[in-house]
Amino acid sequence: MRRALAPLAALAIAGSLGAADAAASSTLLHIRRVGSLPVAASRMAVVALPDGRIMALGGLIAGASSNQVLLGPPSQLRLVGHLPAPTHDAAAVLQGRDVTLFGGGQNVSTSTVVQIDPLTGRARNTGQLPEALSDLGAVSVGTHMYLVGGYTGTKFATAILRVGAGATTTTIARLPEGLRYAGVAVIGTTIYTAGGLTPGGAISAITAVDTSTGAVRTIGRLPSALAHAPLVSNGSQLYLIGGQTASGTPTSSILRIDPRSGAVSVAGHLPAPVADASAVSVGTRVVVLGSGRTIYEF
């Protein structure tokens, strides 16, 4: 069960970065409401399409898994179809002309791979991963799709997997420890993770994985341990949005991470604390979904 929201949760993170960063952060990002979800949802898999639309898949609605396929510009998301089965804590990527959804589940983790047509919202099962995975991250690098961490139903996953034909997978690297509910994003050929949950609890590590060599290195630390926060790239910077502290308290902070140095600063705050939101880069904007019904952008 979730703990009650703490009004001062954001201040705990801002304070650990110093008064100067906290004072300056309010001027760095202009956060505005741009639309609403049809119903309040969290833990959705979200991808951006080349034409400025976004697709949001599954998620938790009133505590139950959903099979929804939402499609449209951020200001006009609407229900256009249904997944073959309800799911949440899945991950999706756009590769070629199709959106592919990996894993997730309802009461248990699944290995299902679903392909969704971004023109019609039509979804169909296309295969099975070698192992069940939920709570994972997924990114596209060139012509390849990669899966990052997650939960198999019995253990926290350490693998960075390259997905091949027929949903076959190849392990290209391993994280220092099993990791789920981490922020995952990509810049160039490097996959980044920020925070997340390990068997020992939430962590603060920021990790870079070179997909061309398999090298894994820790490039920095968040000001405090954080999980259940989406990580998104705008091309040169990374943003970690909201999340849940080690004590289970949601935060409203948006943290900016420099991928070259690993330096972290407070870039702004959402209007309210949120964990298990989803975020995606749409052109030069970042769109945040899953804070109740409200859709934000900055």
Side-chain angles (χ1 to χ4, degrees):
M1 294 180 64
R2 297 270 168 80
R3 295 169 63 111
L5 302 184
L8 298 181
L11 296 181
I13 289 182
S16 66
L17 287 170
D21 280 335
S25 65
S26 62
T27 64
L28 297 180
L29 290 178
H30 174 61
I31 301 165
R32 66 188 188 99
R33 179 187 178 279
V34 294
S36 298
L37 296 169
V39 294
S42 63
R43 302 194 185 190
M44 298 178 292
V46 180
V47 296
L49 304 177
D51 58 5
R53 295 179 302 154
I54 62 176
M55 178 178 283
L57 303 165
L60 281 179
I61 297 176
S65 294
S66 168
N67 65 357
Q68 66 180 356
V69 176
L70 304 178
L71 182 64
S75 60
Q76 296 177 336
L77 271 184
R78 61 187 182 89
L79 182 68
V80 297
H82 295 90
L83 300 171
T87 190
H88 69 279
D89 286 335
V93 295
L94 174 68
Q95 184 66 49
R97 67 173 299 275
D98 290 312
V99 173
T100 304
L101 182 73
F102 295 98
Q106 297 185 64
N107 297 321
V108 296
S109 302
T110 73
S111 60
T112 304
V113 179
V114 179
Q115 198 168 74
I116 306 99
D117 186 331
L119 295 178
T120 65
R122 182 175 178 269
R124 60 189 179 92
N125 289 336
T126 58
Q128 300 285 327
L129 295 169
E131 190 171 35
L133 274 179
S134 63
D135 318 338
L136 69 160
V139 296
S140 177
V141 181
T143 59
H144 296 290
M145 296 181 289
Y146 294 85
L147 308 181
V148 181
Y151 182 64
T152 68
T154 59
K155 62 182 180 180
F156 290 54
T158 61
I160 310 293
L161 302 173
R162 179 187 295 126
V163 182
T168 58
T169 59
T170 302
T171 300
I172 68 151
R174 287 200 180 273
L175 298 165
E177 54 188 330
L179 189 66
R180 61 195 288 204
Y181 295 122
V184 178
V186 64
I187 296 178
T189 60
T190 302
I191 298 171
Y192 295 89
T193 74
L197 195 64
T198 72
I203 61 171
S204 63
I206 305 168
T207 303
V209 182
D210 187 330
T211 57
S212 60
T213 66
V216 180
R217 59 194 178 97
T218 299
I219 63 169
R221 296 279 176 182
L222 302 173
S224 61
L226 202 63
H228 298 271
L231 184 69
V232 65
S233 162
N234 71 347
S236 61
Q237 298 288 299
L238 298 164
Y239 292 94
L240 189 67
I241 301 164
Q244 192 176 81
T245 67
S247 65
T249 303
T251 80
S252 64
S253 295
I254 300 174
L255 301 180
R256 180 186 288 109
I257 302 170
D258 186 329
R260 293 159 296 185
S261 66
V264 182
S265 59
V266 174
H269 294 92
L270 294 170
V274 61
D276 294 315
S278 303
V280 66
S281 180
V282 181
T284 60
R285 301 168 296 151
V286 173
V287 177
V288 182
L289 307 86
S291 177
R293 289 188 59 195
T294 304
I295 301 173
Y296 297 104
E297 75 170 23
F298 59 84

Short mmCIF file of all heavy atoms in Angstrom, two decimals, residues 30-85:
data_model
loop_
_atom_site.label_atom_id
_atom_site.label_comp_id
_atom_site.label_asym_id
_atom_site.label_seq_id
_atom_site.Cartn_x
_atom_site.Cartn_y
_atom_site.Cartn_z
N HIS A 30 9.34 25.78 -17.25
CA HIS A 30 7.95 26.24 -17.22
C HIS A 30 7.06 25.03 -17.45
O HIS A 30 7.02 24.46 -18.54
CB HIS A 30 7.72 27.28 -18.31
CG HIS A 30 6.28 27.70 -18.43
ND1 HIS A 30 5.59 28.29 -17.39
CD2 HIS A 30 5.39 27.58 -19.46
CE1 HIS A 30 4.35 28.53 -17.77
NE2 HIS A 30 4.21 28.11 -19.03
N ILE A 31 6.38 24.60 -16.39
CA ILE A 31 5.54 23.41 -16.44
C ILE A 31 4.10 23.83 -16.60
O ILE A 31 3.59 24.65 -15.83
CB ILE A 31 5.72 22.58 -15.16
CG1 ILE A 31 7.19 22.18 -15.01
CG2 ILE A 31 4.82 21.35 -15.16
CD1 ILE A 31 7.55 21.69 -13.63
N ARG A 32 3.43 23.28 -17.60
CA ARG A 32 2.04 23.67 -17.84
C ARG A 32 1.18 22.46 -18.14
O ARG A 32 1.67 21.44 -18.65
CB ARG A 32 1.94 24.69 -18.97
CG ARG A 32 2.33 24.17 -20.33
CD ARG A 32 2.39 25.30 -21.35
NE ARG A 32 2.59 24.78 -22.70
CZ ARG A 32 1.62 24.62 -23.59
NH1 ARG A 32 0.37 24.91 -23.27
NH2 ARG A 32 1.88 24.14 -24.80
N ARG A 33 -0.08 22.57 -17.81
CA ARG A 33 -1.05 21.52 -18.12
C ARG A 33 -1.42 21.62 -19.59
O ARG A 33 -1.74 22.69 -20.09
CB ARG A 33 -2.29 21.68 -17.25
CG ARG A 33 -3.38 20.67 -17.51
CD ARG A 33 -4.64 21.00 -16.72
NE ARG A 33 -5.71 20.07 -17.00
CZ ARG A 33 -6.50 20.12 -18.07
NH1 ARG A 33 -6.34 21.08 -18.96
NH2 ARG A 33 -7.46 19.23 -18.25
N VAL A 34 -1.39 20.48 -20.30
CA VAL A 34 -1.71 20.50 -21.74
C VAL A 34 -2.89 19.60 -22.10
O VAL A 34 -3.38 19.63 -23.22
CB VAL A 34 -0.49 20.09 -22.58
CG1 VAL A 34 0.60 21.14 -22.46
CG2 VAL A 34 0.02 18.71 -22.21
N GLY A 35 -3.34 18.77 -21.16
CA GLY A 35 -4.46 17.89 -21.47
C GLY A 35 -4.81 17.00 -20.30
O GLY A 35 -4.28 17.17 -19.20
N SER A 36 -5.71 16.06 -20.57
CA SER A 36 -6.15 15.13 -19.53
C SER A 36 -6.29 13.73 -20.10
O SER A 36 -6.68 13.56 -21.27
CB SER A 36 -7.51 15.56 -18.94
OG SER A 36 -7.42 16.82 -18.32
N LEU A 37 -5.97 12.73 -19.28
CA LEU A 37 -6.26 11.35 -19.64
C LEU A 37 -7.77 11.11 -19.54
O LEU A 37 -8.45 11.78 -18.76
CB LEU A 37 -5.54 10.40 -18.70
CG LEU A 37 -4.00 10.42 -18.76
CD1 LEU A 37 -3.44 9.63 -17.58
CD2 LEU A 37 -3.52 9.86 -20.07
N PRO A 38 -8.29 10.15 -20.31
CA PRO A 38 -9.73 9.84 -20.19
C PRO A 38 -10.13 9.46 -18.76
O PRO A 38 -11.20 9.82 -18.30
CB PRO A 38 -9.91 8.66 -21.16
CG PRO A 38 -8.81 8.83 -22.16
CD PRO A 38 -7.66 9.38 -21.39
N VAL A 39 -9.25 8.70 -18.08
CA VAL A 39 -9.43 8.38 -16.67
C VAL A 39 -8.05 8.39 -16.01
O VAL A 39 -7.03 8.24 -16.68
CB VAL A 39 -10.09 6.99 -16.46
CG1 VAL A 39 -11.51 6.97 -16.99
CG2 VAL A 39 -9.26 5.89 -17.12
N ALA A 40 -8.01 8.59 -14.71
CA ALA A 40 -6.74 8.62 -13.99
C ALA A 40 -6.04 7.27 -14.13
O ALA A 40 -6.65 6.21 -13.98
CB ALA A 40 -6.98 8.94 -12.52
N ALA A 41 -4.74 7.31 -14.45
CA ALA A 41 -3.97 6.08 -14.66
C ALA A 41 -2.52 6.31 -14.25
O ALA A 41 -2.03 7.44 -14.22
CB ALA A 41 -4.05 5.65 -16.12
N SER A 42 -1.83 5.22 -13.93
CA SER A 42 -0.40 5.26 -13.63
C SER A 42 0.24 4.01 -14.22
O SER A 42 -0.45 3.11 -14.71
CB SER A 42 -0.17 5.32 -12.11
OG SER A 42 -0.67 4.15 -11.48
N ARG A 43 1.57 3.95 -14.17
CA ARG A 43 2.34 2.79 -14.63
C ARG A 43 2.02 2.40 -16.07
O ARG A 43 1.99 1.21 -16.42
CB ARG A 43 2.13 1.60 -13.69
CG ARG A 43 2.53 1.89 -12.25
CD ARG A 43 2.63 0.62 -11.43
NE ARG A 43 2.90 0.92 -10.04
CZ ARG A 43 3.23 0.00 -9.14
NH1 ARG A 43 3.34 -1.26 -9.48
NH2 ARG A 43 3.48 0.35 -7.88
N MET A 44 1.81 3.40 -16.91
CA MET A 44 1.57 3.16 -18.33
C MET A 44 2.90 3.08 -19.08
O MET A 44 3.89 3.66 -18.67
CB MET A 44 0.73 4.29 -18.92
CG MET A 44 -0.66 4.42 -18.33
SD MET A 44 -1.57 5.80 -19.06
CE MET A 44 -0.62 7.19 -18.40
N ALA A 45 2.90 2.38 -20.20
CA ALA A 45 4.02 2.41 -21.14
C ALA A 45 3.69 3.45 -22.20
O ALA A 45 2.61 3.40 -22.80
CB ALA A 45 4.23 1.04 -21.76
N VAL A 46 4.60 4.39 -22.44
CA VAL A 46 4.31 5.52 -23.33
C VAL A 46 5.44 5.68 -24.34
O VAL A 46 6.62 5.58 -23.99
CB VAL A 46 4.14 6.83 -22.52
CG1 VAL A 46 3.84 7.99 -23.45
CG2 VAL A 46 3.03 6.67 -21.50
N VAL A 47 5.09 5.95 -25.60
CA VAL A 47 6.08 6.24 -26.63
C VAL A 47 5.65 7.47 -27.41
O VAL A 47 4.46 7.78 -27.51
CB VAL A 47 6.26 5.05 -27.61
CG1 VAL A 47 6.82 3.84 -26.89
CG2 VAL A 47 4.96 4.70 -28.30
N ALA A 48 6.64 8.17 -27.97
CA ALA A 48 6.38 9.30 -28.84
C ALA A 48 6.47 8.83 -30.29
O ALA A 48 7.34 8.03 -30.64
CB ALA A 48 7.39 10.41 -28.59
N LEU A 49 5.57 9.34 -31.13
CA LEU A 49 5.57 9.01 -32.55
C LEU A 49 6.16 10.18 -33.34
O LEU A 49 6.16 11.32 -32.87
CB LEU A 49 4.14 8.71 -33.01
CG LEU A 49 3.42 7.60 -32.22
CD1 LEU A 49 1.99 7.44 -32.71
CD2 LEU A 49 4.18 6.28 -32.34
N PRO A 50 6.67 9.92 -34.55
CA PRO A 50 7.37 10.98 -35.30
C PRO A 50 6.51 12.19 -35.64
O PRO A 50 7.04 13.28 -35.85
CB PRO A 50 7.81 10.25 -36.59
CG PRO A 50 7.85 8.81 -36.23
CD PRO A 50 6.75 8.61 -35.23
N ASP A 51 5.20 12.03 -35.67
CA ASP A 51 4.32 13.13 -36.07
C ASP A 51 3.85 13.97 -34.89
O ASP A 51 2.97 14.83 -35.04
CB ASP A 51 3.12 12.60 -36.84
CG ASP A 51 2.28 11.59 -36.05
OD1 ASP A 51 2.59 11.38 -34.85
OD2 ASP A 51 1.34 11.02 -36.62
N GLY A 52 4.43 13.78 -33.70
CA GLY A 52 4.06 14.57 -32.54
C GLY A 52 2.98 13.94 -31.68
O GLY A 52 2.68 14.45 -30.59
N ARG A 53 2.39 12.83 -32.13
CA ARG A 53 1.43 12.12 -31.29
C ARG A 53 2.16 11.25 -30.28
O ARG A 53 3.34 10.97 -30.42
CB ARG A 53 0.51 11.25 -32.14
CG ARG A 53 -0.39 12.01 -33.11
CD ARG A 53 -1.23 11.04 -33.92
NE ARG A 53 -0.37 10.10 -34.65
CZ ARG A 53 -0.74 8.87 -35.02
NH1 ARG A 53 -1.94 8.42 -34.72
NH2 ARG A 53 0.11 8.09 -35.69
N ILE A 54 1.45 10.82 -29.26
CA ILE A 54 1.98 9.85 -28.32
C ILE A 54 1.01 8.69 -28.20
O ILE A 54 -0.18 8.82 -28.49
CB ILE A 54 2.27 10.46 -26.94
CG1 ILE A 54 0.98 11.00 -26.29
CG2 ILE A 54 3.31 11.55 -27.03
CD1 ILE A 54 1.21 11.52 -24.87
N MET A 55 1.54 7.55 -27.78
CA MET A 55 0.73 6.36 -27.52
C MET A 55 0.97 5.92 -26.09
O MET A 55 2.12 5.80 -25.66
CB MET A 55 1.08 5.24 -28.50
CG MET A 55 0.30 3.95 -28.28
SD MET A 55 0.70 2.66 -29.50
CE MET A 55 -0.22 3.27 -30.93
N ALA A 56 -0.10 5.71 -25.34
CA ALA A 56 -0.02 5.25 -23.95
C ALA A 56 -0.75 3.92 -23.85
O ALA A 56 -1.89 3.77 -24.32
CB ALA A 56 -0.66 6.27 -23.01
N LEU A 57 -0.09 2.95 -23.21
CA LEU A 57 -0.57 1.56 -23.24
C LEU A 57 -0.72 1.00 -21.84
O LEU A 57 0.17 1.15 -20.99
CB LEU A 57 0.42 0.70 -24.02
CG LEU A 57 0.70 1.16 -25.46
CD1 LEU A 57 1.94 0.46 -26.01
CD2 LEU A 57 -0.50 0.91 -26.34
N GLY A 58 -1.86 0.33 -21.60
CA GLY A 58 -2.08 -0.35 -20.33
C GLY A 58 -2.06 0.60 -19.15
O GLY A 58 -2.55 1.73 -19.22
N GLY A 59 -1.51 0.13 -18.04
CA GLY A 59 -1.43 0.94 -16.83
C GLY A 59 -2.38 0.45 -15.76
O GLY A 59 -3.16 -0.49 -15.95
N LEU A 60 -2.29 1.11 -14.60
CA LEU A 60 -3.20 0.83 -13.49
C LEU A 60 -4.30 1.88 -13.46
O LEU A 60 -4.03 3.08 -13.47
CB LEU A 60 -2.45 0.85 -12.16
CG LEU A 60 -1.62 -0.38 -11.79
CD1 LEU A 60 -0.94 -0.15 -10.45
CD2 LEU A 60 -2.47 -1.64 -11.76
N ILE A 61 -5.54 1.42 -13.42
CA ILE A 61 -6.70 2.30 -13.31
C ILE A 61 -7.53 1.80 -12.14
O ILE A 61 -7.99 0.65 -12.15
CB ILE A 61 -7.53 2.31 -14.61
CG1 ILE A 61 -6.71 2.88 -15.77
CG2 ILE A 61 -8.82 3.11 -14.42
CD1 ILE A 61 -7.43 2.82 -17.11
N ALA A 62 -7.70 2.63 -11.13
CA ALA A 62 -8.45 2.25 -9.93
C ALA A 62 -7.93 0.95 -9.34
O ALA A 62 -8.71 0.10 -8.88
CB ALA A 62 -9.94 2.14 -10.25
N GLY A 63 -6.61 0.76 -9.39
CA GLY A 63 -5.98 -0.39 -8.78
C GLY A 63 -5.96 -1.65 -9.62
O GLY A 63 -5.43 -2.68 -9.19
N ALA A 64 -6.52 -1.62 -10.83
CA ALA A 64 -6.57 -2.79 -11.69
C ALA A 64 -5.84 -2.53 -13.00
O ALA A 64 -5.79 -1.40 -13.50
CB ALA A 64 -8.02 -3.17 -11.99
N SER A 65 -5.27 -3.59 -13.58
CA SER A 65 -4.58 -3.46 -14.86
C SER A 65 -5.56 -3.10 -15.97
O SER A 65 -6.73 -3.51 -15.95
CB SER A 65 -3.87 -4.77 -15.22
OG SER A 65 -2.82 -5.03 -14.32
N SER A 66 -5.06 -2.35 -16.94
CA SER A 66 -5.89 -1.88 -18.05
C SER A 66 -5.37 -2.44 -19.37
O SER A 66 -4.18 -2.71 -19.52
CB SER A 66 -5.87 -0.35 -18.10
OG SER A 66 -6.42 0.13 -19.31
N ASN A 67 -6.28 -2.58 -20.35
CA ASN A 67 -5.88 -2.97 -21.71
C ASN A 67 -6.01 -1.80 -22.68
O ASN A 67 -6.03 -1.98 -23.89
CB ASN A 67 -6.70 -4.16 -22.20
CG ASN A 67 -8.19 -3.83 -22.35
OD1 ASN A 67 -8.62 -2.72 -22.04
ND2 ASN A 67 -8.96 -4.79 -22.82
N GLN A 68 -6.04 -0.58 -22.18
CA GLN A 68 -6.29 0.58 -23.02
C GLN A 68 -5.13 0.86 -23.98
O GLN A 68 -3.96 0.68 -23.65
CB GLN A 68 -6.55 1.82 -22.17
CG GLN A 68 -5.37 2.29 -21.36
CD GLN A 68 -5.66 3.52 -20.52
OE1 GLN A 68 -6.74 4.09 -20.58
NE2 GLN A 68 -4.69 3.94 -19.72
N VAL A 69 -5.48 1.32 -25.18
CA VAL A 69 -4.53 1.89 -26.14
C VAL A 69 -4.99 3.32 -26.40
O VAL A 69 -6.03 3.54 -27.02
CB VAL A 69 -4.48 1.10 -27.45
CG1 VAL A 69 -3.54 1.78 -28.46
CG2 VAL A 69 -4.05 -0.34 -27.20
N LEU A 70 -4.23 4.29 -25.86
CA LEU A 70 -4.56 5.70 -26.04
C LEU A 70 -3.64 6.28 -27.10
O LEU A 70 -2.44 5.97 -27.14
CB LEU A 70 -4.39 6.48 -24.74
CG LEU A 70 -5.17 5.99 -23.52
CD1 LEU A 70 -4.85 6.85 -22.31
CD2 LEU A 70 -6.67 5.98 -23.80
N LEU A 71 -4.19 7.14 -27.96
CA LEU A 71 -3.40 7.68 -29.06
C LEU A 71 -3.84 9.10 -29.36
O LEU A 71 -5.03 9.43 -29.27
CB LEU A 71 -3.61 6.79 -30.30
CG LEU A 71 -2.83 7.14 -31.57
CD1 LEU A 71 -1.34 7.01 -31.35
CD2 LEU A 71 -3.29 6.24 -32.72
N GLY A 72 -2.88 9.94 -29.73
CA GLY A 72 -3.20 11.30 -30.14
C GLY A 72 -2.14 12.28 -29.70
O GLY A 72 -1.16 11.91 -29.06
N PRO A 73 -2.30 13.56 -30.03
CA PRO A 73 -1.42 14.58 -29.48
C PRO A 73 -1.63 14.66 -27.97
O PRO A 73 -2.68 14.26 -27.47
CB PRO A 73 -1.86 15.86 -30.18
CG PRO A 73 -3.26 15.60 -30.60
CD PRO A 73 -3.35 14.14 -30.89
N PRO A 74 -0.64 15.15 -27.22
CA PRO A 74 -0.79 15.19 -25.76
C PRO A 74 -2.05 15.90 -25.29
O PRO A 74 -2.60 15.56 -24.23
CB PRO A 74 0.47 15.94 -25.31
CG PRO A 74 1.47 15.65 -26.38
CD PRO A 74 0.69 15.61 -27.66
N SER A 75 -2.54 16.85 -26.07
CA SER A 75 -3.73 17.59 -25.66
C SER A 75 -5.03 16.87 -25.98
O SER A 75 -6.10 17.27 -25.51
CB SER A 75 -3.74 18.96 -26.35
OG SER A 75 -3.76 18.81 -27.76
N GLN A 76 -4.96 15.79 -26.76
CA GLN A 76 -6.19 15.12 -27.20
C GLN A 76 -6.03 13.61 -27.23
O GLN A 76 -6.39 12.95 -28.22
CB GLN A 76 -6.60 15.63 -28.59
CG GLN A 76 -6.95 17.11 -28.61
CD GLN A 76 -7.28 17.60 -30.02
OE1 GLN A 76 -6.84 17.02 -31.01
NE2 GLN A 76 -8.06 18.66 -30.10
N LEU A 77 -5.50 13.02 -26.19
CA LEU A 77 -5.38 11.58 -26.13
C LEU A 77 -6.77 10.94 -26.05
O LEU A 77 -7.61 11.37 -25.26
CB LEU A 77 -4.57 11.15 -24.92
CG LEU A 77 -3.05 11.04 -25.07
CD1 LEU A 77 -2.46 10.51 -23.77
CD2 LEU A 77 -2.67 10.16 -26.23
N ARG A 78 -6.99 9.90 -26.85
CA ARG A 78 -8.28 9.23 -26.81
C ARG A 78 -8.09 7.72 -26.97
O ARG A 78 -7.07 7.25 -27.48
CB ARG A 78 -9.21 9.75 -27.91
CG ARG A 78 -8.70 9.54 -29.31
CD ARG A 78 -9.58 10.24 -30.34
NE ARG A 78 -9.12 10.00 -31.70
CZ ARG A 78 -9.51 8.99 -32.47
NH1 ARG A 78 -10.37 8.09 -31.97
NH2 ARG A 78 -9.06 8.84 -33.69
N LEU A 79 -9.08 6.99 -26.50
CA LEU A 79 -9.05 5.53 -26.59
C LEU A 79 -9.29 5.10 -28.04
O LEU A 79 -10.32 5.46 -28.63
CB LEU A 79 -10.12 4.94 -25.69
CG LEU A 79 -10.19 3.41 -25.62
CD1 LEU A 79 -8.96 2.85 -24.94
CD2 LEU A 79 -11.46 2.96 -24.89
N VAL A 80 -8.33 4.33 -28.62
CA VAL A 80 -8.47 3.90 -30.01
C VAL A 80 -8.46 2.39 -30.15
O VAL A 80 -8.72 1.87 -31.24
CB VAL A 80 -7.36 4.49 -30.89
CG1 VAL A 80 -7.46 6.01 -30.93
CG2 VAL A 80 -5.98 4.04 -30.44
N GLY A 81 -8.14 1.67 -29.09
CA GLY A 81 -8.09 0.22 -29.20
C GLY A 81 -7.79 -0.42 -27.87
O GLY A 81 -7.76 0.25 -26.82
N HIS A 82 -7.57 -1.73 -27.91
CA HIS A 82 -7.33 -2.49 -26.68
C HIS A 82 -6.21 -3.49 -26.90
O HIS A 82 -6.08 -4.08 -27.99
CB HIS A 82 -8.59 -3.23 -26.24
CG HIS A 82 -9.71 -2.31 -25.85
ND1 HIS A 82 -10.65 -1.86 -26.76
CD2 HIS A 82 -10.02 -1.73 -24.67
CE1 HIS A 82 -11.50 -1.05 -26.14
NE2 HIS A 82 -11.14 -0.96 -24.87
N LEU A 83 -5.40 -3.69 -25.88
CA LEU A 83 -4.39 -4.72 -25.89
C LEU A 83 -5.05 -6.09 -25.77
O LEU A 83 -6.19 -6.20 -25.29
CB LEU A 83 -3.42 -4.52 -24.72
CG LEU A 83 -2.66 -3.19 -24.69
CD1 LEU A 83 -1.92 -3.03 -23.36
CD2 LEU A 83 -1.70 -3.09 -25.87
N PRO A 84 -4.35 -7.15 -26.19
CA PRO A 84 -4.93 -8.49 -26.06
C PRO A 84 -5.27 -8.87 -24.62
O PRO A 84 -6.18 -9.66 -24.38
CB PRO A 84 -3.84 -9.40 -26.63
CG PRO A 84 -3.07 -8.53 -27.56
CD PRO A 84 -3.09 -7.17 -26.93
N ALA A 85 -4.54 -8.30 -23.66
CA ALA A 85 -4.81 -8.58 -22.24
C ALA A 85 -4.44 -7.35 -21.42
O ALA A 85 -3.52 -6.60 -21.79
CB ALA A 85 -4.02 -9.80 -21.77
#
